[in-house]
Amino acid sequence: DTGVSQDPRHKITKRGQNVTFRCDPISEHNRLYWYRQTLGQGPEFLTYFQNEAQLEKSRLLSDRFSAERPKGSFSTLEIQRTEQGDSAMYLCASSASQEQETQYFGPGTRLLVL
Amino acid sequence: GENVEQHPSTLSVQEGDSAVIKCTYSDSASNYFPWYKQELGKGPQLIIDIRSNVGEKKDQRIAVTLNKTAKHFSLHITETQPEDSAVYFCAASSWGKLQFGAGTQVVVTP
């Protein structure tokens, strides 16, 4: 399968713990996006990368959130000192380029903070 | 920033009937409008998209129309089947991040 993959698929953690999620985009896609989706809502943009450069961050991305894409391939999203309000589905998407902007989504990582 | 509104929030149709979902957007700079289908526990799956230089696009039972002047676009599903039951999201963007609508829960009853 050459689609977008995310790991883990599910994560349960206690409030105050740190968590890290990984996204592997479609091979040779140079844009990678992170979104957050809460129950009953559409995905909300968090941040995106073009190759290894982080080009935009949403105001939703507080200072407890950090994302990296060190070699322009896979990306990680870390949440420090998790809060119950962080419980959501975290979605990753990739697109080939700015011009070929169709975004393909992964299956998501569902986070539950107790 | 961009704001996308989607209606209705729920839609129940008989198998074989048509389903229509409507979205409006606020940013006239938006030039790309995809539609996604999301099944329970899965990520959104692209079903069709349209760019601002096109007014209509069709792919088998699915069609999308765009009215740039009125800033609205619609998804049409004909001859609905039970497997069309899912949540559908519209989105708008201008060369980057997608702004999604709140979604439409479509239920197709046999």
Side-chain angles (χ1 to χ4, degrees):
Chain A
D1 189 327
T2 56
V4 178
S5 62
Q6 293 187 244
D7 184 70
R9 295 291 310 278
H10 304 274
K11 179 71 177 178
I12 300 174
T13 191
K14 293 182 179 179
R15 189 174 50 188
Q17 298 294 304
N18 299 343
V19 294
T20 300
F21 310 141
R22 176 179 170 125
C23 171
D24 286 88
I26 293 172
S27 180
E28 298 182 0
H29 275 195
N30 66 27
R31 283 201 165 188
L32 186 150
Y33 301 80
W34 286 99
Y35 293 83
R36 181 172 69 185
Q37 185 178 26
T38 53
L39 204 60
Q41 299 297 317
E44 295 175 293
F45 170 79
L46 293 178
T47 188
Y48 86 95
F49 295 82
Q50 181 156 310
N51 299 313
E52 62 275 6
Q54 188 173 17
L55 295 188
E56 188 173 348
K57 292 194 294 186
S58 164
R59 57 182 169 80
L60 293 175
L61 213 65
S62 75
D63 56 7
R64 297 185 298 104
F65 288 70
S66 62
E68 294 182 344
R69 195 183 183 197
K71 298 182 180 178
S73 57
F74 73 91
S75 175
T76 58
L77 177 69
E78 182 184 16
I79 309 174
Q80 296 182 327
R81 304 181 304 280
T82 52
E83 302 173 355
Q84 288 184 324
D86 297 330
S87 296
M89 172 84 89
Y90 290 84
L91 293 162
C92 175
S94 70
S95 65
S97 65
Q98 177 177 348
E99 293 74 25
Q100 298 297 319
E101 60 191 314
T102 301
Q103 294 184 29
Y104 298 93
F105 281 82
T109 295
R110 183 166 293 283
L111 172 67
L112 178 61
V113 182
L114 301 176
Chain B
E2 176 64 276
N3 181 51
V4 176
E5 295 193 355
Q6 182 172 347
H7 300 279
S9 57
T10 59
L11 182 59
S12 183
V13 295
Q14 287 281 105
E15 182 178 358
D17 288 349
S18 295
V20 180
I21 303 170
K22 298 182 179 182
C23 290
T24 61
Y25 63 99
S26 61
D27 188 350
S28 57
S30 290
N31 57 10
Y32 174 65
F33 307 91
W35 286 86
Y36 288 87
K37 175 183 180 182
Q38 188 173 30
E39 297 175 335
L40 199 61
K42 297 184 178 180
Q45 177 189 8
L46 180 76
I47 55 172
I48 196 167
D49 55 9
I50 191 168
R51 288 174 169 77
S52 58
N53 58 348
V54 175
E56 185 173 354
K57 183 176 178 181
K58 189 174 182 181
D59 182 5
Q60 299 183 334
R61 297 186 296 109
I62 294 172
V64 58
T65 59
L66 171 65
N67 183 327
K68 280 191 65 179
T69 303
K71 296 199 189 85
H72 64 72
F73 55 115
S74 301
L75 178 73
H76 303 252
I77 307 174
T78 58
E79 301 173 17
T80 53
Q81 302 168 3
E83 52 265 39
D84 294 329
S85 297
V87 179
Y88 291 80
F89 292 98
C90 62
S93 86
S94 55
W95 306 114
K97 66 184 181 185
L98 294 173
Q99 181 69 41
F100 283 84
T104 297
Q105 174 78 59
V106 174
V107 177
V108 180
T109 53

